[in-house]
């Protein structure tokens, strides 16, 4: 599948939509303009790829809405070369956006099929994050600490293990809440035992689930 002028044109419109909704960060808008979102979705959904909406990617999961991706990315305040942990690789779209901003991405997925699929897709588009199959609740202790941690599924609470894996001065962004509504939460680690928490509006994500799809 290719990236045509039509796709590029639709992408420009999507950038305008996201901008109108309040995203001002130029680098994030440029990243959305660059990443071919239609290639992250099943062929049947191509016509919807550049609508500002979430869509199914199989296994009951979704590719996040571009505005949501932009909001989470903006809150993370990504700088080049930062080490970023993403929980919930899913389609790989959010990881691609992070890499467009120069981040070094470590990404974990609990669904075996999604994990396998994205490992062909992303490198094929020139994106090479470090892929992990596992339970994001545990994070990646052997690769910690991280400058930034991003959870792209709804957590009913902030996972303690992930707070420990955040650098002092680092930021974590996580939608916290139950089914149907979560509050976008930014946590800044101010000191060894000092975490500052703030809320940034309501969103809807698929739930964060512990364990992996094959039960390990
Ligand atoms: N960042 C993705 C969003 C996918 S939706 C994208 O840009 O497309 C959320 C993803 O989180 C799903 O793929 C789901 O399987 C995954 N997930 C849920 N709980 C998880 C956990 N405990 N560990 C790792 N991944 C998890």
């Amino acid at each position: 599948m290719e990236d045509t002028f039509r796709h590029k044109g639709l992408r420009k419109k999507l950038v305008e939509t996201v901008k109108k909704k309040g995203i001002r960060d130029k680098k994030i808008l440029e990243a959305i303009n660059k990443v071919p979102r239609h290639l992250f979705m099943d062929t049947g959904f191509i016509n919807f790829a550049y609508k500002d909406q979430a869509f199914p990617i199989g296994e009951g999961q979704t590719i996040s809405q571009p505005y949501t991706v932009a909001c989470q990315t903006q809150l993370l305040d990504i700088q080049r070369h930062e080490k970023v942990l993403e929980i919930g690789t899913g389609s790989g779209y959010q990881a691609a956006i992070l890499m467009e901003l120069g981040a070094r991405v470590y990404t974990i997925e609990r669904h075996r099929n999604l994990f396998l699929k994205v490992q062909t897709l992303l490198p094929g588009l020139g994106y090479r994050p470090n892929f992990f199959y596992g339970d994001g609740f545990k994070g990646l202790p052997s690769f910690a600490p991280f400058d930034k941690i991003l959870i792209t599924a709804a957590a009913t609470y902030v996972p303690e293990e992930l707070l420990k894996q955040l650098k002092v001065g680092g930021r974590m962004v996580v939608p916290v809440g139950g089914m149907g509504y979560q509050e976008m939460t930014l946590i800044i680690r101010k000191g060894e035992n000092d975490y500052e928490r703030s809320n940034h509006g309501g969103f809807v994500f698929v739930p964060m689930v512990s364990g992996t799809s094959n039960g390990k």
Side-chain angles (χ1 to χ4, degrees):
M1 215 184 308
E2 43 175 7
D3 191 26
T4 63
F5 277 119
R6 178 159 176 264
H7 291 120
K8 289 190 175 91
L10 290 171
R11 211 140 65 226
K12 278 221 153 54
K13 280 193 187 150
L14 174 64
V15 169
E16 286 312 310
T17 306
V18 170
K19 206 169 160 183
K20 273 196 202 114
K21 290 185 180 173
I23 302 298
R24 289 284 174 265
D25 188 313
K26 280 212 171 67
K27 286 188 189 139
I28 295 176
L29 295 172
E30 268 168 34
I32 292 175
N33 196 34
K34 204 158 165 209
V35 179
R37 189 172 188 253
H38 64 285
L39 300 181
F40 292 76
M41 296 166 62
D42 292 335
T43 39
F45 292 113
I46 287 287
N47 289 333
F48 300 100
Y50 293 106
K51 292 212 163 109
D52 189 26
Q53 286 172 11
F55 277 103
I57 53 169
E59 309 295 342
Q61 306 304 315
T62 54
I63 177 172
S64 300
Q65 182 183 343
Y67 172 70
T68 304
V69 170
C71 279
Q72 290 199 291
T73 309
Q74 191 161 269
L75 286 170
L76 283 171
D77 189 23
I78 301 288
Q79 307 297 319
R80 292 198 76 77
H81 309 303
E82 277 184 338
K83 195 169 152 189
V84 181
L85 173 63
E86 180 195 27
I87 312 298
T89 317
S91 68
Y93 179 75
Q94 169 77 72
I97 295 286
L98 294 171
M99 282 179 280
E100 281 295 337
L101 298 174
R104 290 178 290 137
V105 176
Y106 293 69
T107 184
I108 312 180
E109 174 55 55
R110 68 174 294 282
H111 259 291
R112 187 102 200 150
N113 291 344
L114 295 176
F115 164 75
L116 293 174
K117 195 169 168 187
V118 76
Q119 275 182 93
T120 323
L121 180 83
L122 278 181
L125 295 171
Y127 300 109
R128 290 184 175 75
N130 301 287
F131 296 104
F132 298 86
Y133 173 61
D135 180 0
F137 274 103
K138 297 178 182 153
L140 293 172
S142 51
F143 294 90
F146 295 94
D147 296 296
K148 308 283 161 76
I149 298 179
L150 170 62
I151 304 185
T152 69
T156 48
Y157 61 94
V158 180
E160 190 68 34
E161 192 49 46
L162 297 182
L163 288 173
K164 285 191 220 154
Q165 294 177 26
L166 190 61
K167 246 181 217 173
V168 172
R171 290 171 163 241
M172 174 158 144
V173 172
V174 46
V176 182
M179 282 286 268
Y181 181 87
Q182 301 94 38
E183 192 66 47
M184 191 61 77
T185 308
L186 167 66
I187 297 161
I188 303 180
R189 187 170 192 177
K190 295 280 190 180
E192 203 53 45
N193 295 309
D194 182 11
Y195 295 88
E196 183 187 275
R197 206 170 151 149
S198 54
N199 288 346
H200 299 269
F203 289 83
V204 183
F205 284 78
V206 293
M208 186 172 177
V209 179
S210 58
T212 55
S213 60
N214 70 2
K216 286 192 190 132

